[in-house]
């Protein structure tokens, strides 16, 4: 650790991993309810379980991003964070807000804009936390060295915080509501988060491979350019059937087809950088997660998204288990695995230890990735059958669902693998330890 | 290649291109906003009752089991066309009675069948919810879903 204030990231990563555990356990319960529908049906209905599953995911990924920013901005800017106290204050607000949201869901207080179900006071809390964050990292950034990595990272984080404003706008007209809702949801995961992802990936490549900064930064700009060029108008692939003009079917199809490009570029980028890199970095697990994240992101977000992005296909597959398959693999590859890559890289340094427990960490990678891949396949098969029976033959929803029990059982099995992998990951991060590294030694290999 | 594509050129393409696409997106959004208000959702007026129904829908987080126009959770049937499926699209009284009867019978308790929770909903709110679903059903969704099954 070069700068003392980077230590803030440690607290963020801890909370993020706690929520990660809650998220996967919630997912496992939801998967079990598909197999055995009467489970907890009166005590904890499916809609509440799902809210906890999705909301915990979003919050822990954001905490991971914030933590990553607090870790890498000082190092890139070559100075301490503007205010460590503000950073902790921000974390406290987010933790109180998250616990408040979960508590209110459990007693039946929630909204019905998917993913934005938080009570209003929690939404304000998030806004305040976001403002604190932006002030804090921006002042750090402005006072220090400016690099492409921090440029892109901050641009992504600024835009994602600005888009949060649409969480407060809820038009009475359902179609308007849906259109502006996608301003948060799509423009987060398919535009601004991609900037954050590319920046963090670039940082990891810089540290792990030792390739020249100049080369990495140039390609970062190319990658994020393709992300925004395709992603902004690619929002159109959500505008097909919610009451918007028909031209979105063409615009959405064309631009979202290009959304494969940034993910392919990120995958190629990370492999080429590793191939060109001369450095033999000791943290092999971080390298595995980085390469894994960009590869699974390409399949989950790129290929599985492409699979049903054309409006002629989407007309039949929209809102079936195919959407669920795509959603799971893309979130896992692009954002979960990337965050875990960052944790794996930074945690040993933050704790002043050797990058030890590598084997356990790599086992957790394969358990989780294998589990998610299997889950994606089963849901894709289930979705294909559902599409045919429901959308083409015209059988009713529940009749079709009754035919899919076998797939839901297999999906639950893959969920167990994912949960085991996640718990093993947290264990390998926090519990297993080896020698303490003396301050000032070469724990952070140069660029 | 590296002479043609320098870092500063890549950066300028990124900023310039992004601004271009943002401007196009905003222009199309404005046009779409007008289209929604004046054309696609004009099948039935957006009354106070419909608006109340939307809030009832939201307060109970129905979206986290059902889909509406294909968006939501995939645990329970599509409701964007439920009034068509029930054959009560043009019959407010029938729509209310169908919906109320269905909701009062929940949870069914049938073993192995997905359970819909029981919701405390007043008669006024239930009428509003029925109107909201009828209103949503009349949105021009470019002929989606492909059939009544949703």
């Amino acid at each position: 650790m070069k700068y003392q204030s980077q230590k803030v990231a440690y607290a963020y990563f801890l909370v993020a991993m706690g929520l990660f555990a809650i998220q996967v356990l919630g997912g496992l319960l939801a998967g079990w309810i598909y197999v055995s529908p009467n489970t907890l049906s009166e005590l904890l209905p499916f809609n509440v379980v799902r809210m906890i599953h999705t909301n915990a995911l979003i919050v822990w990924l954001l905490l991971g991003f914030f933590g990553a920013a607090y870790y890498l901005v000082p190092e890139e800017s070559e100075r301490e964070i503007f205010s460590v106290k503000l950073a902790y204050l921000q974390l406290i607000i987010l933790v109180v807000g998250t616990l408040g949201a979960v508590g209110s869901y459990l007693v039946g207080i929630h909204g019905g804009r998917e993913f934005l179900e938080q009570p209003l006071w929690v939404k304000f809390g998030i806004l305040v936390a976001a403002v604190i964050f932006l002030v804090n990292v921006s002042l750090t950034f402005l006072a220090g060295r400016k690099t492409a990595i921090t440029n892109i990272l901050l641009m992504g984080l600024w835009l994602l915080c600005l888009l949060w404003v649409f969480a407060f706008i809820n038009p009475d007209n359902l179609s308007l509501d849906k259109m502006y809702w996608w301003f948060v949801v799509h423009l987060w995961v398919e535009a601004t988060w991609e900037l954050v992802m590319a920046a963090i990936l670039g940082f990891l490549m810089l540290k792990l491979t030792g390739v020249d900064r100049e080369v990495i930064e140039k390609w970062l700009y190319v990658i994020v350019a393709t992300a925004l060029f395709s992603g902004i108008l690619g929002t159109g692939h959500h505008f097909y059937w919610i009451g918007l003009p028909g031209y979105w079917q063409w615009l959405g199809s064309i631009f979202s087809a290009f959304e494969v490009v940034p993910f392919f570029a990120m995958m190629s980028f990370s492999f080429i950088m590793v191939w060109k890199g001369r450095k033999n970095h000791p943290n092999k697990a971080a390298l595995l997660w980085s390469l894994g994240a960009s590869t699974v992101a390409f399949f989950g977000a790129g290929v599985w998204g492409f699979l049903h992005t054309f409006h002629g296909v989407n007309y039949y597959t929209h809102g079936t288990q195919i959407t669920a398959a795509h959603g799971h693999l893309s979130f896992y590859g692009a954002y979960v695995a990337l965050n875990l890559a960052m944790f794996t890289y930074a945690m040993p340094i933050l704790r002043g230890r050797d990058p030890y427990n590598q084997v356990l960490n790599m086992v957790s990678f394969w358990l989780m990735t294998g589990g998610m891949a299997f889950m994606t396949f089963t849901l894709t098969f289930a979705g294909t059958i559902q599409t045919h029976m429901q959308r083409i033959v015209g059988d009713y929803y529940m009749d079709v669902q009754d035919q899919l029990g076998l797939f839901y059982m297999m999906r639950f099995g893959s969920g167990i693998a994912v949960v085991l992998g996640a718990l093993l990951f947290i264990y390998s991060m926090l519990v297993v330890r080896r020698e303490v590294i003396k301050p000032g030694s070469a724990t952070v290999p140069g660029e | 290649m590296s002479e043609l594509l320098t870092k500063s050129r890549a950066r300028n393409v990124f900023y310039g291109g992004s601004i271009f696409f943002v401007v196009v997106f905003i222009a199309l959004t404005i046009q779409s906003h007008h289209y929604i208000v004046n054309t696609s959702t004009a099948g039935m007026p957006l009354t106070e009752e419909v608006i109340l129904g939307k809030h009832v829908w939201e307060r109970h987080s129905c979206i986290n089991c059902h889909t509406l126009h294909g968006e939501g959770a995939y645990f329970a049937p599509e409701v964007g066309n439920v009034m068509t499926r029930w054959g009560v699209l043009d019959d407010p009284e029938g729509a209310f009675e169908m919906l109320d009867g269905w909701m009062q019978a929940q949870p069914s308790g049938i073993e192995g069948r997905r359970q819909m929770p029981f919701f405390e909903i007043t008669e006024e709110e239930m009428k509003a919810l029925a109107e909201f679903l009828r209103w949503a059903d009349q949105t021009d969704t470019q002929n989606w879903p492909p059939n009544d099954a949703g």
Side-chain angles (χ1 to χ4, degrees):
Chain A
M1 207 163 51
K2 282 183 185 160
Y3 299 94
Q4 279 311 306
S5 53
Q6 285 179 293
K7 195 87 187 167
V8 182
Y10 187 62
Y12 276 80
F13 293 163
L14 284 183
V15 180
M17 281 192 274
L19 280 174
F20 178 38
I22 293 173
Q23 184 233 330
V24 290
L25 289 170
L28 192 66
L29 176 59
W32 177 249
I33 295 175
Y34 267 91
V35 175
S36 175
N38 303 67
T39 311
L40 295 176
S41 60
E42 310 228 357
L43 213 59
L44 195 61
F46 182 86
N47 62 345
V48 175
V49 178
R50 184 186 188 248
M51 262 184 283
I52 292 172
H53 180 55
T54 55
N55 283 228
L57 169 74
I58 296 164
V59 178
W60 91 253
L61 292 177
L62 287 173
L63 284 170
F65 288 159
F66 291 146
Y70 282 129
Y71 183 86
L72 70 78
V73 170
E75 216 163 297
E76 290 286 298
S77 307
E78 299 183 330
R79 64 191 49 235
E80 299 286 352
I81 291 171
F82 170 71
S83 164
V84 173
K85 277 189 192 142
L86 277 181
Y88 282 116
L89 176 67
Q90 181 205 346
L91 180 63
I92 291 168
I93 294 173
L94 288 172
V95 170
V96 171
T98 308
L99 295 178
V102 172
S104 74
Y105 295 165
L106 292 175
V107 297
I109 302 169
H110 39 64
R113 292 181 97 205
E114 202 185 357
F115 314 136
L116 307 179
E117 297 95 348
Q118 308 83 10
L120 195 60
W121 69 270
V122 176
K123 286 201 178 89
F124 273 114
I126 295 172
L127 188 66
V128 171
V131 171
I132 293 175
F133 171 77
L134 292 176
V135 168
N136 210 357
V137 288
S138 301
L139 289 177
T140 314
F141 167 79
L142 288 173
R145 181 178 67 149
K146 291 161 194 67
T147 68
I149 290 175
T150 45
N151 260 344
I152 292 167
L153 180 72
L154 283 194
M155 188 177 161
L157 291 166
W158 263 94
L159 291 175
L160 93 83
C161 292
L162 282 178
L163 287 168
W164 178 249
V165 171
F166 285 95
F168 295 89
I169 299 171
N170 183 10
D172 293 329
N173 183 311
L174 179 71
S175 293
L176 288 182
D177 169 0
K178 282 177 174 288
M179 181 171 80
Y180 291 114
W181 177 81
W182 282 114
F183 275 48
V184 189
V185 178
H186 172 93
L187 290 178
W188 268 17
V189 299
E190 290 167 74
T192 58
W193 285 28
E194 279 185 54
L195 303 192
V196 176
M197 178 189 178
I200 295 175
L201 197 62
F203 177 78
L204 287 171
M205 287 299 127
L206 195 63
K207 297 292 167 187
L208 295 171
T209 67
V211 169
D212 278 355
R213 176 180 284 276
E214 200 62 20
V215 177
I216 286 187
E217 297 201 322
K218 179 173 78 181
W219 288 109
L220 267 189
Y221 278 121
V222 174
I223 290 169
V224 292
T226 60
L228 290 194
F229 293 1
S230 61
I232 293 172
L233 288 181
T235 317
H237 67 217
H238 302 293
F239 290 172
Y240 297 164
W241 328 114
I242 57 173
L244 271 73
Y247 61 72
W248 282 110
Q249 295 182 19
W250 290 101
L251 271 181
S253 296
I254 292 166
F255 281 91
S256 79
F258 285 113
E259 282 189 47
V260 182
V261 176
F263 288 106
F264 184 75
M266 268 191 269
M267 181 175 67
S268 317
F269 166 78
S270 48
F271 276 92
I272 292 171
M273 290 306 132
V274 171
W275 175 59
K276 285 173 90 170
R278 308 167 303 279
K279 195 188 291 176
N280 192 15
H281 195 281
N283 199 334
K284 293 283 174 277
L287 198 60
L288 176 66
W289 277 106
S290 307
L291 293 175
S294 59
T295 308
V296 181
F298 167 66
F299 282 100
V303 177
W304 253 259
F306 185 79
L307 202 69
H308 67 153
T309 202
F310 289 117
H311 66 93
V313 178
N314 191 262
Y315 183 68
Y316 294 100
T317 59
H318 182 52
T320 64
Q321 291 297 324
I322 291 185
T323 314
H326 161 56
H328 278 86
L329 196 65
S330 54
F331 261 96
Y332 172 74
Y335 302 120
V336 171
L338 181 83
N339 263 302
L340 299 184
M342 189 66 197
F343 297 176
T344 304
Y345 170 75
M347 285 295 269
I349 301 169
L350 288 167
R351 302 175 79 215
R353 293 179 187 280
D354 255 349
Y356 186 51
N357 56 41
Q358 301 269 311
V359 175
L360 280 186
N361 187 308
M362 291 194 200
V363 170
S364 82
F365 170 85
W366 290 111
L367 257 178
M368 264 189 269
T369 307
M372 287 310 296
F374 192 76
M375 187 183 299
T376 305
F377 294 137
T378 51
L379 291 180
T380 306
F381 284 123
T384 308
I385 293 171
Q386 183 187 3
T387 301
H388 180 74
M389 290 179 71
Q390 188 181 318
R391 294 285 161 71
I392 295 173
V393 178
D395 289 341
Y396 283 119
Y397 181 89
M398 282 312 299
D399 297 338
V400 177
Q401 292 296 312
D402 288 342
Q403 305 292 314
L404 301 176
L406 178 66
F407 293 102
Y408 292 138
M409 262 182 251
M410 294 199 289
R411 188 265 292 267
F412 178 71
S414 61
I416 291 177
V418 174
V419 171
L420 287 179
L423 296 179
L424 184 62
F425 179 88
I426 295 169
Y427 175 81
S428 76
M429 280 289 105
L430 296 181
V431 182
V432 186
R433 57 193 54 182
R434 212 177 182 187
E435 71 231 48
V436 175
I437 292 167
K438 284 189 226 65
S441 67
T443 48
V444 188
E447 288 166 12
Chain B
M1 182 67 180
S2 61
E3 275 169 30
L4 191 69
L5 186 72
T6 59
K7 187 170 109 187
S8 62
R9 277 196 186 144
R11 187 186 56 215
N12 294 342
V13 168
F14 165 62
Y15 286 124
S18 300
I19 290 169
F20 170 77
F21 282 110
V22 167
V23 170
V24 172
F25 184 68
I26 290 173
L28 292 175
T29 299
I30 294 169
Q31 199 273 331
S32 298
H33 187 116
H34 285 282
Y35 177 84
I36 289 172
V37 175
N38 300 316
T39 310
S40 65
T41 61
M44 188 176 142
L46 187 64
T47 59
E48 289 296 314
E49 206 176 17
V50 173
I51 293 168
L52 172 64
K54 181 166 184 278
H55 292 305
V56 174
W57 163 266
E58 287 168 358
R59 200 180 314 135
H60 299 290
S61 246
C62 312
I63 197 87
N64 275 291
C65 288
H66 292 277
T67 48
L68 176 58
H69 297 336
E71 293 167 1
Y74 321 106
F75 188 68
E78 165 70 31
V79 289
N81 68 339
V82 69
M83 293 301 171
T84 302
R85 191 153 64 235
W86 285 346
V88 289
L89 183 60
D90 300 314
D91 175 11
E93 195 54 35
F96 163 70
E97 277 166 17
M98 280 290 283
L99 182 67
D100 192 50
W102 174 259
M103 299 278 278
Q104 300 298 342
Q106 306 303 320
S108 71
I110 301 169
E111 194 55 41
R113 182 90 180 169
R114 292 181 193 172
Q115 297 298 312
M116 179 162 166
F118 176 77
F119 293 106
E120 298 276 354
I121 294 178
T122 65
E123 190 178 320
E124 185 200 358
E125 286 178 342
M126 194 70 82
K127 281 198 168 122
L129 184 59
E131 286 305 281
F132 169 66
L133 291 174
R134 283 204 318 116
W135 181 89
D137 203 334
Q138 296 184 32
T139 303
D140 175 9
T141 55
Q142 313 281 331
N143 293 321
W144 192 90
N147 56 52
D148 289 354

